[in-house]
Amino acid sequence: MQKQKIDWHAQAAAMQFDGRAFINGRRVAAQSGATFECLSPLDGRKLTDAARCDAADIDAAVAAARAAFEERRWAGMAPAARKQVLIKFADLIMQNRDQLALLETLDMGKPIRYSRSVDVPSASRCIRWYGEAVDKLYDQIAPTADTALALITREPVGVVGAIVPWNYPMIMAAWKIAPALAAGNSVVLKPSEKSPLSALRLAEIALEAGIPAGVFNVVPGYGHEAGSALALHMDVDCIGFTGSTKVGKLILQYAGQSNLKRAWTELGGKSANIVCADCPDLDAAVAASIGAIYFNQGESCNAPSRLFVEESIKAEFMAKALVMLPDFQPGDPLDEATVMGAIVDSTQLKTVLGYIASGQAEGAKLLSGGVQQRTESGGYYVAPTLFDEVNSSMQIAREEIFGPVLSVIGFTDLDDAVRQANATTYGLQAAVWTSDLNKAIQTARALRAGSVHVNSYDEDDITVPFGGVKQSGNGRDKSLHAFEKYTELKTTWIRIG
Ligand code: NAD
């Protein structure tokens, strides 16, 4: 039977939005009554007003989370029981797939084909995976002398504050809340002011799945108001932050200024992708390099935005790359054929166009794109942009652009390419393409990044940790390692005899 095509425009027109906070199991306005506008980057239209929460609302959410934790409404449930609830949460996310996908696309600008096929299923999978894992974890007994028994157990830290960005609103939220909730914590989530709507809906779905009131709260608002209040709060035990390096530095300061809460930071990137002349499959290298930089409008922390290509294959590489670019022309995000959507807002659009102007001013060669498109829509779209003849001292090679802009740098000496690749404040991801096993391993070892790909880019699995080194942050999301962020080790000594 042929699948019936969804009329996304009709669905969008009929959509009801609710931008109120979700605290202690209920939708509430900000205590001050203040709101901010949620504008759609698709066409600039207002979707709804969201609660502009501040310190008073954060206090209320943290108090609700603390009470739920102290009463052990969730932490006191057996891991197998929490598992059942989290699996139901994951199931309900998939049952609400179209609605959540549409919210994500309208609020943030990514194509509906991806919010429906990537973002919603990935968030659901993440929650299911941590739910399934949590009743299979064992603690330890230390190898002490016979006269004592020393138990090493993991306990939830208590109240976790999660602060997330707008580029993958639901997935970033899931990476924080899934391990934190599975471990038995209560959570206060502060979504980005640019994309709060899907997280707010997730909180309703969590309650429906059986997560007790107060355990999962979502508080929309600005970073300098709600975000800082959460990170500075004296009764928050841990902050899981994903966002820019600039704000990550503030988060660490807030932790020090307040109660020394543990603070985890997943920050920006300027990832290097090195293609050697002996790369095993040039077509695959071109497809992966181009696909990964333009996916999500280039608004990915791990986007391979610096491409190093060995001079002897560079002309062939660039010719193949240019052929692919028309596939990434921005289109209507509500059209299922569109692969590149809108930039999140007018501020980010200006930032991206500013970097393009800087690349031109500093002498990089603009091979394609470089302009705003679909201006008649009222939204914010940028053509896939390709710069050649970039050098590592240019601003476009040093700073995270967070837009569909690729900087290509030629090289003749691999050691020098690796030196340039590492000459950045960031260290999130990197890649090397070569048929030579020794070269692959030596280069992967030399690249300073949280993940290195060999002959691929953007391999991804929930079982594998994700995070960076240097100013790309600390800590790891995903995999069983994420439990380390949201649990404390406790030692219990028992005297024998
Ligand atoms: P951002 O740092 O501006 O904002 C992130 C979050 O922090 C938002 O919720 C924001 O409201 C909040 N915030 C802002 N100021 C704050 C303050 N003073 N106190 C507390 N909270 C504050 O980042 P963004 O523009 O939303 O997201 C883009 C950035 O996120 C990029 O640098 C990208 O690389 C990074 N990112 C990293 C990862 C990763 O896993 N390493 C994943 C996705 C995005």
Side-chain angles (χ1 to χ4, degrees), residues 164-166 190 193 223 227 241-244 254 266-268 301 400 466:
V164 294
W166 47 262
K190 209 293 285 171
E193 59 275 23
F241 174 79
T242 299
S244 62
Y254 296 153
E266 309 284 346
L267 311 176
C301 52
E400 184 181 45
F466 184 101

Side-chain angles (χ1 to χ4, degrees), residues 162-168 172 175-176 190-195 221-231 241-248 250-251 254 265-269 299-302 344 348 400 402 426 428 466-468 472-473 477:
I163 301 179
V164 294
W166 47 262
N167 59 333
Y168 295 93
M172 292 301 103
W175 286 8
K176 305 291 182 215
K190 209 293 285 171
S192 170
E193 59 275 23
K194 299 185 185 194
S195 60
Y222 290 113
H224 65 281
E225 295 174 351
S228 60
L230 186 58
F241 174 79
T242 299
S244 62
T245 294
K246 184 171 155 225
V247 177
L250 291 176
I251 297 292
Y254 296 153
T265 54
E266 309 284 346
L267 311 176
E299 298 162 329
S300 298
C301 52
N302 59 340
V344 71
Q348 186 63 15
E400 184 181 45
F402 229 54
Y426 295 111
L428 193 53
F466 184 101
S472 288
D477 281 330

Side-chain angles (χ1 to χ4, degrees), residues 7-353:
D7 181 345
W8 293 106
H9 282 280
Q11 302 256 340
M15 188 130 204
Q16 303 284 320
F17 301 97
D18 190 344
R20 288 174 302 163
F22 192 90
I23 298 175
N24 213 10
R26 286 190 309 120
R27 287 286 202 162
V28 287
Q31 291 180 28
S32 66
T35 57
F36 64 91
E37 290 185 328
C38 295
L39 304 176
S40 177
L42 273 57
D43 47 16
R45 97 184 147 97
K46 178 170 151 181
L47 299 172
T48 188
D49 288 314
R52 180 174 168 175
C53 293
D54 60 21
D57 308 288
I58 291 289
D59 275 345
V62 172
R66 176 60 63 192
F69 186 72
E70 294 301 330
E71 289 163 20
R72 298 186 62 75
R73 274 177 233 162
W74 175 247
M77 283 167 71
R82 290 203 298 270
K83 170 179 79 173
Q84 293 308 338
V85 174
L86 289 170
I87 288 174
K88 183 156 182 214
F89 185 14
D91 288 341
L92 287 175
I93 289 173
M94 288 309 281
Q95 283 172 30
N96 288 277
R97 180 179 190 169
D98 291 344
Q99 184 202 38
L100 286 166
L102 190 53
L103 273 178
E104 204 78 319
T105 288
L106 291 172
D107 208 9
M108 179 276 164
K110 67 178 70 196
I112 191 76
R113 69 186 279 159
Y114 294 132
S115 48
R116 193 173 184 285
S117 69
V118 177
D119 295 73
V120 180
S122 173
S124 167
R125 234 182 352 261
C126 174
I127 289 164
R128 184 184 309 279
W129 192 83
Y130 283 102
E132 284 173 344
V134 75
D135 68 343
K136 296 164 190 75
L137 300 174
Y138 289 74
D139 289 326
Q140 296 173 323
I141 296 175
T144 56
D146 282 355
T147 50
L149 187 63
L151 310 180
I152 305 169
T153 50
R154 284 207 170 265
E155 297 186 343
V157 295
V159 175
V160 171
I163 301 179
V164 294
W166 47 262
N167 59 333
Y168 295 93
M170 239 182 304
I171 297 178
M172 292 301 103
W175 286 8
K176 305 291 182 215
I177 66 173
L181 289 174
N185 297 284
S186 295
V187 177
V188 177
L189 170 68
K190 209 293 285 171
S192 170
E193 59 275 23
K194 299 185 185 194
S195 60
L197 297 176
S198 58
L200 289 165
R201 180 71 188 113
L202 279 187
E204 291 177 335
I205 295 172
L207 187 75
E208 188 187 339
I211 293 183
V215 170
F216 176 34
N217 308 277
V218 180
V219 187
Y222 290 113
H224 65 281
E225 295 174 351
S228 60
L230 186 58
L232 280 164
H233 205 286
M234 293 301 286
D235 205 23
V236 170
D237 300 294
C238 166
I239 282 282
F241 174 79
T242 299
S244 62
T245 294
K246 184 171 155 225
V247 177
K249 291 181 181 187
L250 291 176
I251 297 292
L252 295 179
Q253 290 177 34
Y254 296 153
Q257 283 164 24
S258 54
N259 59 346
L260 271 181
K261 58 180 69 64
R262 43 165 74 192
W264 302 108
T265 54
E266 309 284 346
L267 311 176
K270 190 73 190 174
S271 298
N273 179 20
I274 303 176
V275 184
C276 301
D278 63 355
C279 132
D281 182 342
L282 191 60
D283 288 330
V286 174
S289 307
I290 295 299
I293 180 66
Y294 298 128
F295 184 68
N296 211 43
Q297 302 73 243
E299 298 162 329
S300 298
C301 52
N302 59 340
S305 51
R306 289 183 299 151
L307 174 61
F308 294 86
V309 186
E310 196 157 350
E311 287 291 356
S312 58
I313 56 160
K314 188 154 151 277
E316 191 185 354
F317 189 106
M318 298 307 282
K320 287 177 187 282
L322 281 169
V323 170
M324 283 188 71
L325 288 202
D327 297 347
F328 292 91
Q329 287 308 308
D332 174 7
L334 292 177
D335 179 342
E336 288 185 12
T338 295
V339 299
M340 194 153 88
I343 300 293
V344 71
D345 65 3
S346 58
T347 310
Q348 186 63 15
L349 173 77
K350 258 189 235 129
T351 301
V352 173
L353 294 175

Side-chain angles (χ1 to χ4, degrees), residues 410-483:
F411 73 91
T412 47
D413 169 8
L414 179 57
D415 289 340
D416 184 49
V418 170
R419 259 192 305 277
Q420 292 185 57
N422 285 339
T424 166
T425 52
Y426 295 111
L428 193 53
Q429 298 213 339
V432 58
W433 299 75
T434 174
S435 304
D436 180 330
L437 187 60
N438 284 326
K439 208 155 107 180
I441 294 171
Q442 282 161 357
T443 307
R445 284 181 178 162
L447 286 165
R448 289 202 64 204
S451 307
V452 180
H453 303 266
V454 175
N455 297 331
S456 72
Y457 201 93
D458 239 3
E459 295 285 350
D460 180 45
D461 199 84
I462 186 68
T463 58
V464 178
F466 184 101
V469 299
K470 301 200 282 184
Q471 293 188 37
S472 288
N474 58 28
R476 295 292 180 267
D477 281 330
K478 304 168 80 180
S479 84
L480 293 180
H481 290 285
F483 280 122

Side-chain angles (χ1 to χ4, degrees), residues 337-397:
T338 295
V339 299
M340 194 153 88
I343 300 293
V344 71
D345 65 3
S346 58
T347 310
Q348 186 63 15
L349 173 77
K350 258 189 235 129
T351 301
V352 173
L353 294 175
Y355 276 114
I356 292 170
S358 138
Q360 288 176 292
E362 287 195 274
K365 187 170 168 192
L366 181 64
L367 289 188
S368 187
V371 289
Q372 191 181 349
Q373 289 188 325
R374 307 190 82 243
T375 45
E376 72 293 348
S377 66
Y380 319 116
Y381 301 83
V382 174
T385 298
L386 184 55
F387 276 113
D388 195 4
E389 295 175 21
V390 175
N391 73 55
S392 288
S393 63
M394 291 179 185
Q395 195 186 19
I396 55 169

